[in-house]
């Protein structure tokens, strides 16, 4: 089992640059792939970004590419999502998740999920 806890959300003005954090505990040694997803009101949960803790290319949704950056502090079992130039359309609950294997955009490729952190962007 892996437990994930997100933090760093809140009310942000458009153009703001908050950083979300995801703290992992439990069987973290079995985890290499990590992802961020988000779910806006009335919409399905969607992929945002993913990376391997062991290194390599990170992947981003087209809607956030060049604005968001996923990173990690492996010594602290933390994953981050730096969000820049936020837009009202970025308003959503943001979730971190552990990948079962390959990094994919589909939810089914991820097995452990946090409870989410709300990000609300005001215009």
């Amino acid at each position: 089992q892996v437990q994930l806890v997100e933090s760093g959300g809140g009310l942000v003005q458009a153009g703001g640059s908050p950083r979300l954090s995801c703290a992992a505990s439990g069987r973290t040694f079995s985890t290499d792939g990590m992802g961020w997803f988000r779910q806006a009101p009335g919409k399905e949960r969607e992929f945002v970004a993913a990376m391997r803790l062991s290194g390599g290319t990170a992947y981003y949704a087209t809607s956030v590419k060049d604005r968001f950056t996923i990173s990690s502090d492996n010594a602290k079992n933390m994953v981050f999502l730096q969000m820049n130039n936020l837009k009202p359309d970025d308003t959503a609950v943001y979730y971190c998740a552990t990948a079962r294997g390959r990094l994919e955009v589909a939810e089914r490729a991820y097995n452990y999920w946090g409870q989410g952190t709300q990000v609300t962007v005001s215009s």
Side-chain angles (χ1 to χ4, degrees), residues 54-105:
S54 55
T57 302
Y59 300 91
Y60 297 92
T62 302
S63 59
V64 307
K65 190 174 177 60
D66 297 328
R67 296 190 300 124
F68 291 10
T69 302
I70 187 172
S71 64
S72 68
D73 183 335
N74 295 350
K76 296 182 179 180
N77 292 327
M78 299 284 291
V79 177
F80 306 100
L81 186 68
Q82 177 66 48
M83 304 187 292
N84 297 325
N85 190 23
L86 280 181
K87 306 173 183 180
D89 284 349
D90 294 317
T91 294
V93 178
Y94 284 74
Y95 301 88
C96 66
T98 58
R100 298 178 188 273
R102 293 177 55 183
L103 296 182
E104 299 182 16
V105 301

Side-chain angles (χ1 to χ4, degrees), residues 103-114:
L103 296 182
E104 299 182 16
V105 301
E107 286 187 54
R108 63 178 179 272
Y110 298 80
N111 48 1
Y112 296 106
W113 294 80

Side-chain angles (χ1 to χ4, degrees), residues 1-2 4 24-35 51-54 74 77 79 97-100 111-112:
Q1 292 277 347
V2 176
L4 303 172
S25 61
R27 295 174 61 88
T28 57
F29 58 86
S30 64
T31 298
D32 185 35
M34 295 293 297
M51 66 175 291
R52 290 214 171 275
L53 302 178
S54 55
N74 295 350
N77 292 327
V79 177
T98 58
R100 298 178 188 273
N111 48 1
Y112 296 106

